[in-house]
Amino acid sequence: MWDERCSADGYASGTELNDFLLRVIEKIARSRVLFLVQGEGKNAVFLAQQGYDVIAVDLSSVGLEKA
């Protein structure tokens, strides 16, 4: 089910970052961050680009590959 959803063109949940993440990013220590149920990875990729050591986990290997 999730692989099918993530295999579609584009991003199933859009490309906008999570509102909660944007509100708390300044409070997250620059260390290892674990993202569970990450889907296509937009939030995890964003934090990795900001210099965080990110571990992203999801049931969909297709979603993680897209990330």
Side-chain angles (χ1 to χ4, degrees), residues 1 3 5 7 12-13 15-17 20 22 26-28 30-31 34-35 37 39 46 58-59:
M1 174 176 133
D3 281 344
R5 182 176 181 202
S7 66
S13 61
T15 58
E16 296 296 318
L17 296 174
F20 176 76
L22 293 174
E26 297 298 323
K27 298 176 182 175
I28 301 172
R30 291 215 180 250
S31 61
L34 174 63
F35 274 100
V37 195
F46 172 75
D58 197 89
L59 290 175

